[in-house]
Amino acid sequence: MAPVDARDLTKVFLLRLEALEEMTHEYQYVRNTLIEMNLTPVRYVARRFSGRLESAEDMLRVGTTGLIMAVDRYGTSRGEECTTLAIFYIQGEIKANGSRLVRDDARRLARLMTYRWAGRCPKRCRL
């Protein structure tokens, strides 16, 4: 899928996601489709951090976690594109996890619950 097509479809899916009730099958389907369509920024940011010691697979996994957080927290009323916020979240996840990338899901979930940014969110992305 071309990036322009993905950008247009992302807008449609984000509007649909806002209209749906959470925890329904349709909501999960739209959310998962959004995440799968927008994996390109995750690959882009992971390539920028490729000089580190972590494997590419681990950085993609952590970057995808940032993408998931961005999709969950994005609101269409902001007027910005989703990728603007997503790239910031992806970078933040990769920087925050640094060399502490672990495969244990329970530890990763605990870290997400006490998530802190290494930098500041751009002013245009704040609520």
Side-chain angles (χ1 to χ4, degrees):
M1 176 180 300
V4 175
D5 296 334
R7 192 175 303 129
D8 293 338
L9 278 175
T10 296
K11 291 176 185 176
V12 172
F13 274 99
L14 284 169
L15 289 172
R16 182 70 181 139
L17 192 66
E18 276 192 350
L20 293 172
E21 185 177 331
E22 286 188 36
M23 305 310 284
T24 61
H25 291 292
E26 190 175 2
Y27 179 88
Q28 291 298 324
Y29 174 77
V30 171
R31 181 176 173 263
N32 291 340
T33 304
L34 265 171
I35 292 166
E36 289 172 11
M37 276 192 327
N38 289 295
L39 286 175
T40 304
V42 176
R43 290 187 203 102
Y44 169 75
V45 173
R47 256 186 280 136
R48 288 180 51 202
F49 288 95
S50 64
R52 297 187 179 199
L53 298 174
E54 293 86 15
S55 69
E57 177 187 330
D58 285 338
M59 286 206 298
L60 286 174
R61 181 179 50 83
V62 171
T64 303
T65 304
L67 176 64
I68 292 169
M69 290 169 48
V71 167
D72 288 343
R73 294 178 182 170
Y74 180 78
T76 55
S77 61
R78 292 176 182 238
E80 298 285 332
E81 287 193 24
C82 183
T83 53
T84 304
L85 183 67
I87 287 180
F88 184 77
Y89 273 93
I90 294 164
Q91 285 177 345
E93 271 300 304
I94 291 175
K95 287 178 184 177
N97 286 307
S99 63
R100 296 173 285 142
L101 296 175
V102 292
R103 293 186 181 269
D104 186 9
D105 290 338
R107 285 177 139 176
R108 190 176 78 219
L109 182 61
R111 236 188 359 258
L112 283 175
M113 297 299 222
T114 59
Y115 187 80
R116 299 205 193 287
W117 283 105
R120 296 188 79 143
C121 182
K123 206 172 229 184
R124 66 179 182 268
C125 293
R126 295 184 198 155
L127 292 175

